[in-house]
Amino acid sequence: MDEWTDLALSVDVTSAGQAVLMAALAEAERQADALLGRWPAPGSIEWHAEEGTDIPLRRERAWQLLQLRIGLAAGLDVFPTVLGLRRHGATWEEIAAAAGVTRQSAHERWAGRVADLMGLGHA
């Protein structure tokens, strides 16, 4: 092998891989914002109109579900998104619908890890 091939096969790519992942996640967020639409700016009339309602929570849930769909379409590890959804009360049915699988499949795929990290016996 030549020196470039040796370098290509031996150099530590951990930080490069993390940088690519972070860029992908940031782009997924940007795409979700573009698809779902802008949120009211803090302090705006629209923002005040939503105070005390469940609209901000519903919008956040929809944004996270969209993040899950985008992440799956991009081939990313979506477990952090699933964990966030469960922490914010999303049902396995909602997660399954976003993932395009059955509730049982979603539960089998992610529930054990979610339970471990949330300190639950069952997720």
mmCIF file of all heavy atoms in Angstrom, residues 85-119:
data_model
loop_
_atom_site.group_PDB
_atom_site.id
_atom_site.type_symbol
_atom_site.label_atom_id
_atom_site.label_comp_id
_atom_site.label_asym_id
_atom_site.label_seq_id
_atom_site.Cartn_x
_atom_site.Cartn_y
_atom_site.Cartn_z
ATOM 1 N N LEU A 85 -39.209 11.804 22.572
ATOM 2 C CA LEU A 85 -40.650 11.698 22.400
ATOM 3 C C LEU A 85 -41.306 11.010 23.590
ATOM 4 O O LEU A 85 -42.323 11.475 24.102
ATOM 5 C CB LEU A 85 -40.974 10.940 21.104
ATOM 6 C CG LEU A 85 -40.894 11.771 19.830
ATOM 7 C CD1 LEU A 85 -40.764 10.882 18.608
ATOM 8 C CD2 LEU A 85 -42.124 12.664 19.715
ATOM 9 N N ARG A 86 -40.719 9.906 24.033
ATOM 10 C CA ARG A 86 -41.295 9.191 25.180
ATOM 11 C C ARG A 86 -41.217 10.039 26.451
ATOM 12 O O ARG A 86 -42.147 10.060 27.237
ATOM 13 C CB ARG A 86 -40.585 7.848 25.380
ATOM 14 C CG ARG A 86 -40.906 6.836 24.303
ATOM 15 C CD ARG A 86 -42.357 6.425 24.298
ATOM 16 N NE ARG A 86 -42.647 5.673 25.517
ATOM 17 C CZ ARG A 86 -43.852 5.463 26.009
ATOM 18 N NH1 ARG A 86 -44.914 5.951 25.406
ATOM 19 N NH2 ARG A 86 -44.016 4.766 27.107
ATOM 20 N N ARG A 87 -40.110 10.756 26.628
ATOM 21 C CA ARG A 87 -39.974 11.627 27.808
ATOM 22 C C ARG A 87 -41.030 12.726 27.812
ATOM 23 O O ARG A 87 -41.407 13.221 28.864
ATOM 24 C CB ARG A 87 -38.580 12.235 27.863
ATOM 25 C CG ARG A 87 -37.545 11.270 28.364
ATOM 26 C CD ARG A 87 -36.217 11.945 28.594
ATOM 27 N NE ARG A 87 -35.329 11.035 29.290
ATOM 28 C CZ ARG A 87 -34.019 11.023 29.133
ATOM 29 N NH1 ARG A 87 -33.433 11.880 28.323
ATOM 30 N NH2 ARG A 87 -33.274 10.162 29.793
ATOM 31 N N HIS A 88 -41.471 13.120 26.619
ATOM 32 C CA HIS A 88 -42.479 14.170 26.513
ATOM 33 C C HIS A 88 -43.887 13.610 26.323
ATOM 34 O O HIS A 88 -44.797 14.328 25.921
ATOM 35 C CB HIS A 88 -42.121 15.142 25.387
ATOM 36 C CG HIS A 88 -40.944 15.995 25.725
ATOM 37 N ND1 HIS A 88 -39.668 15.711 25.319
ATOM 38 C CD2 HIS A 88 -40.860 17.111 26.487
ATOM 39 C CE1 HIS A 88 -38.845 16.615 25.798
ATOM 40 N NE2 HIS A 88 -39.532 17.475 26.508
ATOM 41 N N GLY A 89 -44.058 12.316 26.595
ATOM 42 C CA GLY A 89 -45.396 11.740 26.623
ATOM 43 C C GLY A 89 -45.936 11.159 25.348
ATOM 44 O O GLY A 89 -47.110 10.800 25.285
ATOM 45 N N ALA A 90 -45.127 11.067 24.302
ATOM 46 C CA ALA A 90 -45.615 10.462 23.060
ATOM 47 C C ALA A 90 -45.923 8.988 23.291
ATOM 48 O O ALA A 90 -45.224 8.302 24.040
ATOM 49 C CB ALA A 90 -44.584 10.606 21.938
ATOM 50 N N THR A 91 -46.972 8.519 22.660
ATOM 51 C CA THR A 91 -47.348 7.120 22.786
ATOM 52 C C THR A 91 -46.567 6.282 21.782
ATOM 53 O O THR A 91 -46.048 6.799 20.784
ATOM 54 C CB THR A 91 -48.851 6.923 22.521
ATOM 55 O OG1 THR A 91 -49.113 7.248 21.145
ATOM 56 C CG2 THR A 91 -49.695 7.793 23.445
ATOM 57 N N TRP A 92 -46.514 4.984 22.036
ATOM 58 C CA TRP A 92 -45.875 4.086 21.075
ATOM 59 C C TRP A 92 -46.651 4.093 19.761
ATOM 60 O O TRP A 92 -46.081 3.914 18.696
ATOM 61 C CB TRP A 92 -45.740 2.676 21.650
ATOM 62 C CG TRP A 92 -44.658 2.606 22.661
ATOM 63 C CD1 TRP A 92 -44.781 2.376 23.997
ATOM 64 C CD2 TRP A 92 -43.255 2.797 22.428
ATOM 65 N NE1 TRP A 92 -43.545 2.423 24.607
ATOM 66 C CE2 TRP A 92 -42.588 2.684 23.669
ATOM 67 C CE3 TRP A 92 -42.491 3.079 21.294
ATOM 68 C CZ2 TRP A 92 -41.208 2.819 23.787
ATOM 69 C CZ3 TRP A 92 -41.121 3.217 21.418
ATOM 70 C CH2 TRP A 92 -40.495 3.088 22.655
ATOM 71 N N GLU A 93 -47.944 4.330 19.824
ATOM 72 C CA GLU A 93 -48.755 4.404 18.607
ATOM 73 C C GLU A 93 -48.324 5.594 17.741
ATOM 74 O O GLU A 93 -48.192 5.470 16.521
ATOM 75 C CB GLU A 93 -50.231 4.511 18.979
ATOM 76 C CG GLU A 93 -51.152 4.388 17.796
ATOM 77 C CD GLU A 93 -52.613 4.303 18.201
ATOM 78 O OE1 GLU A 93 -52.914 4.064 19.388
ATOM 79 O OE2 GLU A 93 -53.450 4.473 17.300
ATOM 80 N N GLU A 94 -48.087 6.754 18.370
ATOM 81 C CA GLU A 94 -47.631 7.934 17.628
ATOM 82 C C GLU A 94 -46.244 7.696 17.036
ATOM 83 O O GLU A 94 -45.984 8.031 15.870
ATOM 84 C CB GLU A 94 -47.578 9.154 18.547
ATOM 85 C CG GLU A 94 -48.934 9.660 18.984
ATOM 86 C CD GLU A 94 -48.827 10.741 20.036
ATOM 87 O OE1 GLU A 94 -48.025 10.595 20.994
ATOM 88 O OE2 GLU A 94 -49.567 11.735 19.909
ATOM 89 N N ILE A 95 -45.362 7.137 17.837
ATOM 90 C CA ILE A 95 -43.999 6.864 17.369
ATOM 91 C C ILE A 95 -44.033 5.867 16.215
ATOM 92 O O ILE A 95 -43.352 6.042 15.202
ATOM 93 C CB ILE A 95 -43.124 6.366 18.536
ATOM 94 C CG1 ILE A 95 -42.901 7.520 19.533
ATOM 95 C CG2 ILE A 95 -41.807 5.801 18.039
ATOM 96 C CD1 ILE A 95 -42.319 7.112 20.856
ATOM 97 N N ALA A 96 -44.853 4.829 16.345
ATOM 98 C CA ALA A 96 -44.977 3.827 15.285
ATOM 99 C C ALA A 96 -45.503 4.444 14.000
ATOM 100 O O ALA A 96 -45.000 4.145 12.913
ATOM 101 C CB ALA A 96 -45.891 2.695 15.748
ATOM 102 N N ALA A 97 -46.506 5.310 14.112
ATOM 103 C CA ALA A 97 -47.056 5.958 12.916
ATOM 104 C C ALA A 97 -45.987 6.786 12.208
ATOM 105 O O ALA A 97 -45.870 6.748 10.977
ATOM 106 C CB ALA A 97 -48.250 6.830 13.294
ATOM 107 N N ALA A 98 -45.182 7.511 12.973
ATOM 108 C CA ALA A 98 -44.111 8.312 12.379
ATOM 109 C C ALA A 98 -43.042 7.429 11.748
ATOM 110 O O ALA A 98 -42.457 7.781 10.717
ATOM 111 C CB ALA A 98 -43.480 9.220 13.433
ATOM 112 N N ALA A 99 -42.785 6.279 12.353
ATOM 113 C CA ALA A 99 -41.759 5.368 11.852
ATOM 114 C C ALA A 99 -42.272 4.483 10.720
ATOM 115 O O ALA A 99 -41.478 3.786 10.075
ATOM 116 C CB ALA A 99 -41.231 4.495 12.986
ATOM 117 N N GLY A 100 -43.582 4.481 10.499
ATOM 118 C CA GLY A 100 -44.150 3.662 9.437
ATOM 119 C C GLY A 100 -44.158 2.179 9.762
ATOM 120 O O GLY A 100 -44.028 1.339 8.872
ATOM 121 N N VAL A 101 -44.288 1.866 11.061
ATOM 122 C CA VAL A 101 -44.301 0.477 11.510
ATOM 123 C C VAL A 101 -45.488 0.282 12.449
ATOM 124 O O VAL A 101 -46.169 1.237 12.806
ATOM 125 C CB VAL A 101 -42.982 0.084 12.225
ATOM 126 C CG1 VAL A 101 -41.792 0.233 11.282
ATOM 127 C CG2 VAL A 101 -42.761 0.914 13.486
ATOM 128 N N THR A 102 -45.703 -0.938 12.872
ATOM 129 C CA THR A 102 -46.762 -1.193 13.837
ATOM 130 C C THR A 102 -46.318 -0.744 15.223
ATOM 131 O O THR A 102 -45.118 -0.609 15.500
ATOM 132 C CB THR A 102 -47.122 -2.690 13.903
ATOM 133 O OG1 THR A 102 -45.998 -3.413 14.431
ATOM 134 C CG2 THR A 102 -47.511 -3.235 12.536
ATOM 135 N N ARG A 103 -47.302 -0.548 16.097
ATOM 136 C CA ARG A 103 -46.997 -0.195 17.475
ATOM 137 C C ARG A 103 -46.114 -1.248 18.114
ATOM 138 O O ARG A 103 -45.150 -0.942 18.807
ATOM 139 C CB ARG A 103 -48.313 -0.044 18.270
ATOM 140 C CG ARG A 103 -48.100 0.342 19.703
ATOM 141 C CD ARG A 103 -49.353 0.059 20.541
ATOM 142 N NE ARG A 103 -49.073 0.188 21.939
ATOM 143 C CZ ARG A 103 -48.406 -0.693 22.683
ATOM 144 N NH1 ARG A 103 -47.911 -1.779 22.155
ATOM 145 N NH2 ARG A 103 -48.204 -0.481 23.961
ATOM 146 N N GLN A 104 -46.442 -2.505 17.861
ATOM 147 C CA GLN A 104 -45.655 -3.605 18.426
ATOM 148 C C GLN A 104 -44.215 -3.563 17.933
ATOM 149 O O GLN A 104 -43.276 -3.732 18.709
ATOM 150 C CB GLN A 104 -46.292 -4.953 18.078
ATOM 151 C CG GLN A 104 -45.525 -6.128 18.655
ATOM 152 C CD GLN A 104 -46.193 -7.464 18.338
ATOM 153 O OE1 GLN A 104 -47.337 -7.510 17.916
ATOM 154 N NE2 GLN A 104 -45.465 -8.542 18.557
ATOM 155 N N SER A 105 -44.019 -3.304 16.645
ATOM 156 C CA SER A 105 -42.657 -3.235 16.096
ATOM 157 C C SER A 105 -41.859 -2.093 16.721
ATOM 158 O O SER A 105 -40.684 -2.257 17.053
ATOM 159 C CB SER A 105 -42.698 -3.068 14.581
ATOM 160 O OG SER A 105 -43.219 -4.217 13.971
ATOM 161 N N ALA A 106 -42.500 -0.939 16.864
ATOM 162 C CA ALA A 106 -41.815 0.205 17.479
ATOM 163 C C ALA A 106 -41.450 -0.116 18.926
ATOM 164 O O ALA A 106 -40.331 0.162 19.368
ATOM 165 C CB ALA A 106 -42.704 1.447 17.424
ATOM 166 N N HIS A 107 -42.379 -0.719 19.635
ATOM 167 C CA HIS A 107 -42.143 -1.071 21.032
ATOM 168 C C HIS A 107 -40.999 -2.070 21.146
ATOM 169 O O HIS A 107 -40.096 -1.916 21.976
ATOM 170 C CB HIS A 107 -43.435 -1.629 21.648
ATOM 171 C CG HIS A 107 -43.366 -1.779 23.121
ATOM 172 N ND1 HIS A 107 -42.972 -2.943 23.729
ATOM 173 C CD2 HIS A 107 -43.633 -0.892 24.117
ATOM 174 C CE1 HIS A 107 -43.003 -2.777 25.031
ATOM 175 N NE2 HIS A 107 -43.401 -1.548 25.305
ATOM 176 N N GLU A 108 -41.015 -3.091 20.299
ATOM 177 C CA GLU A 108 -39.947 -4.104 20.334
ATOM 178 C C GLU A 108 -38.588 -3.502 20.002
ATOM 179 O O GLU A 108 -37.567 -3.887 20.557
ATOM 180 C CB GLU A 108 -40.270 -5.249 19.378
ATOM 181 C CG GLU A 108 -41.402 -6.135 19.856
ATOM 182 C CD GLU A 108 -41.839 -7.159 18.819
ATOM 183 O OE1 GLU A 108 -41.307 -7.165 17.688
ATOM 184 O OE2 GLU A 108 -42.738 -7.960 19.143
ATOM 185 N N ARG A 109 -38.582 -2.551 19.085
ATOM 186 C CA ARG A 109 -37.320 -1.957 18.620
ATOM 187 C C ARG A 109 -36.685 -1.039 19.655
ATOM 188 O O ARG A 109 -35.469 -1.051 19.831
ATOM 189 C CB ARG A 109 -37.572 -1.187 17.322
ATOM 190 C CG ARG A 109 -36.338 -0.574 16.716
ATOM 191 C CD ARG A 109 -36.647 0.004 15.363
ATOM 192 N NE ARG A 109 -35.491 0.643 14.770
ATOM 193 C CZ ARG A 109 -35.505 1.233 13.589
ATOM 194 N NH1 ARG A 109 -36.596 1.247 12.858
ATOM 195 N NH2 ARG A 109 -34.426 1.807 13.136
ATOM 196 N N TRP A 110 -37.509 -0.226 20.348
ATOM 197 C CA TRP A 110 -36.942 0.832 21.183
ATOM 198 C C TRP A 110 -37.298 0.781 22.664
ATOM 199 O O TRP A 110 -36.627 1.422 23.478
ATOM 200 C CB TRP A 110 -37.359 2.205 20.636
ATOM 201 C CG TRP A 110 -36.805 2.523 19.300
ATOM 202 C CD1 TRP A 110 -35.483 2.589 18.958
ATOM 203 C CD2 TRP A 110 -37.530 2.838 18.115
ATOM 204 N NE1 TRP A 110 -35.345 2.929 17.634
ATOM 205 C CE2 TRP A 110 -36.601 3.084 17.085
ATOM 206 C CE3 TRP A 110 -38.883 2.940 17.812
ATOM 207 C CZ2 TRP A 110 -36.976 3.430 15.799
ATOM 208 C CZ3 TRP A 110 -39.256 3.281 16.524
ATOM 209 C CH2 TRP A 110 -38.321 3.520 15.533
ATOM 210 N N ALA A 111 -38.339 0.076 23.058
ATOM 211 C CA ALA A 111 -38.840 0.168 24.435
ATOM 212 C C ALA A 111 -37.823 -0.260 25.485
ATOM 213 O O ALA A 111 -37.733 0.367 26.542
ATOM 214 C CB ALA A 111 -40.123 -0.644 24.601
ATOM 215 N N GLY A 112 -37.052 -1.297 25.222
ATOM 216 C CA GLY A 112 -36.080 -1.755 26.206
ATOM 217 C C GLY A 112 -35.039 -0.704 26.517
ATOM 218 O O GLY A 112 -34.735 -0.440 27.691
ATOM 219 N N ARG A 113 -34.495 -0.078 25.472
ATOM 220 C CA ARG A 113 -33.484 0.968 25.683
ATOM 221 C C ARG A 113 -34.091 2.185 26.362
ATOM 222 O O ARG A 113 -33.462 2.814 27.218
ATOM 223 C CB ARG A 113 -32.844 1.365 24.356
ATOM 224 C CG ARG A 113 -31.923 0.293 23.801
ATOM 225 C CD ARG A 113 -31.378 0.620 22.434
ATOM 226 N NE ARG A 113 -30.556 1.817 22.433
ATOM 227 C CZ ARG A 113 -30.256 2.505 21.323
ATOM 228 N NH1 ARG A 113 -30.691 2.094 20.152
ATOM 229 N NH2 ARG A 113 -29.512 3.585 21.398
ATOM 230 N N VAL A 114 -35.319 2.537 25.967
ATOM 231 C CA VAL A 114 -36.001 3.670 26.597
ATOM 232 C C VAL A 114 -36.181 3.389 28.091
ATOM 233 O O VAL A 114 -35.891 4.241 28.931
ATOM 234 C CB VAL A 114 -37.361 3.951 25.919
ATOM 235 C CG1 VAL A 114 -38.200 4.898 26.757
ATOM 236 C CG2 VAL A 114 -37.150 4.525 24.521
ATOM 237 N N ALA A 115 -36.669 2.211 28.409
ATOM 238 C CA ALA A 115 -36.889 1.848 29.810
ATOM 239 C C ALA A 115 -35.593 1.895 30.605
ATOM 240 O O ALA A 115 -35.571 2.388 31.739
ATOM 241 C CB ALA A 115 -37.527 0.458 29.904
ATOM 242 N N ASP A 116 -34.509 1.396 30.024
ATOM 243 C CA ASP A 116 -33.216 1.409 30.702
ATOM 244 C C ASP A 116 -32.780 2.835 31.038
ATOM 245 O O ASP A 116 -32.322 3.111 32.147
ATOM 246 C CB ASP A 116 -32.147 0.744 29.852
ATOM 247 C CG ASP A 116 -32.316 -0.757 29.749
ATOM 248 O OD1 ASP A 116 -33.089 -1.333 30.542
ATOM 249 O OD2 ASP A 116 -31.671 -1.358 28.849
ATOM 250 N N LEU A 117 -32.923 3.743 30.073
ATOM 251 C CA LEU A 117 -32.458 5.108 30.283
ATOM 252 C C LEU A 117 -33.402 5.954 31.117
ATOM 253 O O LEU A 117 -32.979 6.923 31.760
ATOM 254 C CB LEU A 117 -32.207 5.787 28.940
ATOM 255 C CG LEU A 117 -31.001 5.236 28.188
ATOM 256 C CD1 LEU A 117 -30.889 5.837 26.798
ATOM 257 C CD2 LEU A 117 -29.717 5.504 28.967
ATOM 258 N N MET A 118 -34.667 5.594 31.125
ATOM 259 C CA MET A 118 -35.629 6.356 31.912
ATOM 260 C C MET A 118 -35.832 5.744 33.298
ATOM 261 O O MET A 118 -36.592 6.267 34.102
ATOM 262 C CB MET A 118 -36.972 6.446 31.180
ATOM 263 C CG MET A 118 -36.883 7.331 29.931
ATOM 264 S SD MET A 118 -38.416 7.434 28.983
ATOM 265 C CE MET A 118 -39.503 8.298 30.108
ATOM 266 N N GLY A 119 -35.139 4.617 33.567
ATOM 267 C CA GLY A 119 -35.245 3.983 34.856
ATOM 268 C C GLY A 119 -36.595 3.339 35.103
ATOM 269 O O GLY A 119 -37.079 3.316 36.227
#
